[in-house]
Amino acid sequence: MLLQHSIYYRIGLLSLSIALSLYCNRSALAYDPADTIQFNMDVLDVEDKKNINLDHFSRAGYIMPGKYNLALHINNDTLPEASIPFYVPETDPEGSVACLSPEITEKLGITESNLKKLTWLHNGECLDLTSLPGMSARGDLATSTLHITIPQAYMEYMAPNWDPPSRWDNGIPAILLDYSINGNTNRSYDGRNTYTLNGNGVAGMNLGAWRLRGDWQGRLNHATGSNNAVNNDFSWNRVYAYRALPTMGAKLTLGEDYLNSSMFDSFRYVGASVRTDLNMMPPNMRGYAPEVTGIAQTNATVIISQQGRVIFSEQVAPGPFRIQNLSDAVSGTLDVKVEEQNGTVQEFQVETANLPYLTRPGQIQYKLALGKPTDNNRGSDGKGFVTGEFSWGINNGWSLFGGSLNSQKYNALSLGIGRDLLVLGALSFDITQSIARLNNGERLNGGSYRLSYAKRFDSIDSQIQFAGYRFSDRDFMSMSDFLQANNSGYRYGSSKELYTVSFSKNFRDAGVSVYLNYNHQTYWNAADRNYYSLTASKYFDVGAIKNISVNLTASRNFSNSVKDDSFYLSTSFPLSNGANVGYSLSNNRYDTVNRATYHDRINDRTNYQLSAGSNSKGGTGSAFITHQGDIARVSGNASYLHNQYTAFGLSATGGVTLTANGGGLHRMNTLGGSRLLVDTNGVADIPVRGFGAPVTSNGFGKAIINDVNSYYRSKAYIDLNKLPDDVDAQNSVVQLTLTEGAVGYREFTVISGAKAMVSIRREDGSYPPFGSQITDDQGKSTGIVADAGSAYISGIKDNSVMKVSWGDGGSCQITFPANIASMTDSLLLPCISSK
């Protein structure tokens, strides 16, 4: 034990000397002989002071010439690991300088004008670090990092957690299959049982910057006692390819798609489009995504679709739900279906709209598309079309926008103007004129007028997320109306007026928050539609009971002369063990339910809810559990109603990703989205955190981090507190910015194996010099030789071989015996000279 403490003490002194030498570093570009560090060997309690080799540390920042895998640390940002050669500069035969290749230099974030000023050495292979005043590079082998300093004046625009296009990563080639599957069974006491299985997902392939995708959906229904025992369908919604165009700040899409427009209604087509992608902009310049709210009376499945295409599905527990993770590319009318386990179905529509179309001064945003309209069965739905729209920021206050949609028998022209009212919010107004010639010879001309407004009122802590009004003439037709009228020979409900508002307000003094969503749609020749949703919540304390919450949600859906009102009132408070208990009252046109609930979590991956109550038909009970697994997000539920039915449900959301670097099963919320494959050097069960609950590496040493934000700087890191005892992580954090749909790849430096104190002897009986480096077969540092050949080494495997090296090219190899983990005594290992 004394020997072991002595060795640790000496290694500590050596580390202190190294730290002092690094602290004295004055320049990493070139060295002056005065920078050479002279170590006072008298401070080291070493038996053989002549057998010491500290050549690696005798010069501040010195790194022996050769290639090293180093992470790039640029100012305050970190880029992926790269192979960095160090070479001897002509001006200093005793020094070394990092060689930054043109490929690496492009990713540093230097502005284009300053890139042209750079000069190169070694036949254009290495950056001359003196090209820009103040630029420097310093290697640190202790942390496997190359520290690069670049004055901010030479850098592209950056924002917190956002990188410029030069640092975007297209990822690696990959094959992926994502899915969301929901299964339900309902056993009725009258002997009629139903079984339902529905799902949707994305299959795809990544090749460079290209993303090939196919969106699918399917449904299977079976009801006992019915004439049609099994009903099923499966379809590919669309097959398409897309890629980012970073220099244009745009996205190119080829194949089947749905028109993405801020001025014209969406419809299905096959063709091509190029549009400005706001996701490529810094976060504070991006748009917003729609959200859907409602109330589930029982364990239910929420399905959100548009023109028959399922874009989101999820099982939810009884009570209010609020879905906020839809893509910000979704626009137009969304169809929402809430399928309850008791067999009832709620259906309503949500109108999504863009915020007032304002553009920053001098900036131009655009959307271009051409192709041929198609129906859901891929049949031709009209003649070819071309459309284009733009928004131009005239100055700090005004924006001009417009566009046109043209085909052989349908033309529409839109023009509008937007105004930033500063403290009063943002306002825009536009007019769209359509000219349509139907197949029956009828010619229709009409206009549509839209007023939009948005504002956040900081002084009263409230926000109008969107408020809009639109009026359309009787003879105005959208492209969707035109296609429908020509195909059916009949003109369906033509839109007349549309009011829509999303409003939120916080009453901080009262501890109350309110959220309101209102949608009113009228038609010239069809029944009106109305949808209201109001949510209010309050937190307060009563004596020793803290954080009591009261929530109220009310909604009304009025469509086709049918009024569907829902009301939900709940209260809850936390228990000392972290659980939560509550009571709720819900009412709709079908029933009134009283329910007591208990909510708790088993761990940071799993939570559950139990409830019991009553309704007009008797007692009821339900259970809902969700688990964030490594290979899928899984939820299960069960419910019971006295003398009525027993129902069970199960859902799973996840995917499989395969690449040449490995792959595996994983959970996935945003189907077809970006993800990160991390490599833990073949070591299994390494906990990695990225987004949400942690994941652990699989048996091949791979883990996939789901739902990585596109064009947004993201990090993943090893949870060092939960590492196995026989594992060390030399670099535990990776960082990257992925383009949309990319599969990123990063490696962690992980060393797995036993740890042991050893004594090393050379063939002639001498010891390797004090300070000699010990590395494994992958070149990773596993230890340093201390006094009398003693060393504490990690990452040891049975029969493994490691290299001991010192200055002037001296080296030897040590071989470990089998069953190293079972040995308790210090090992004496011969070090055989390398041939």
Side-chain angles (χ1 to χ4, degrees), residues 223-246:
T224 59
S226 64
N227 294 329
N228 299 318
V230 177
N231 294 317
N232 65 82
D233 63 81
F234 179 88
S235 63
W236 291 96
N237 288 323
R238 56 175 181 155
V239 179
Y240 57 103
Y242 69 90
R243 62 158 296 162
L245 303 174

Side-chain angles (χ1 to χ4, degrees), residues 816-830:
F816 293 90
N819 302 319
I820 186 69
S822 63
M823 297 183 181
T824 58
D825 298 331
S826 178
L827 295 174
L828 176 62
L829 298 176

Side-chain angles (χ1 to χ4, degrees), residues 497-519:
E497 288 184 296
L498 170 65
Y499 304 88
T500 180
V501 176
S502 296
F503 174 79
S504 62
K505 163 68 178 170
N506 290 323
F507 300 90
R508 293 191 180 274
D509 293 339
V512 175
S513 298
V514 177
Y515 176 81
L516 171 68
N517 181 268
Y518 167 66
N519 194 299

Side-chain angles (χ1 to χ4, degrees), residues 680-681 683-687 697 718-720 722-730 749-755 794-797:
T680 57
N681 287 148
V683 182
D685 300 323
I686 301 298
S697 57
I718 293 176
D719 191 341
L720 300 177
K722 297 182 179 180
L723 273 180
D725 293 335
D726 61 345
V727 173
D728 287 325
Q730 294 184 352
T749 304
V750 177
I751 298 177
S752 174
K755 303 173 184 178
S794 60
I796 303 172
K797 296 181 175 62

Side-chain angles (χ1 to χ4, degrees), residues 8-28:
Y8 290 153
Y9 172 74
R10 292 165 183 169
I11 293 176
L13 286 175
L14 175 62
S15 300
L16 177 61
S17 300
I18 296 170
L20 288 173
S21 71
L22 293 176
Y23 180 79
C24 294
N25 179 26
R26 291 196 292 269
S27 174

Side-chain angles (χ1 to χ4, degrees), residues 329-340:
V330 173
S331 63
T333 302
L334 300 181
D335 299 306
V336 182
K337 180 184 292 186
V338 183
E339 298 180 343
E340 307 279 358

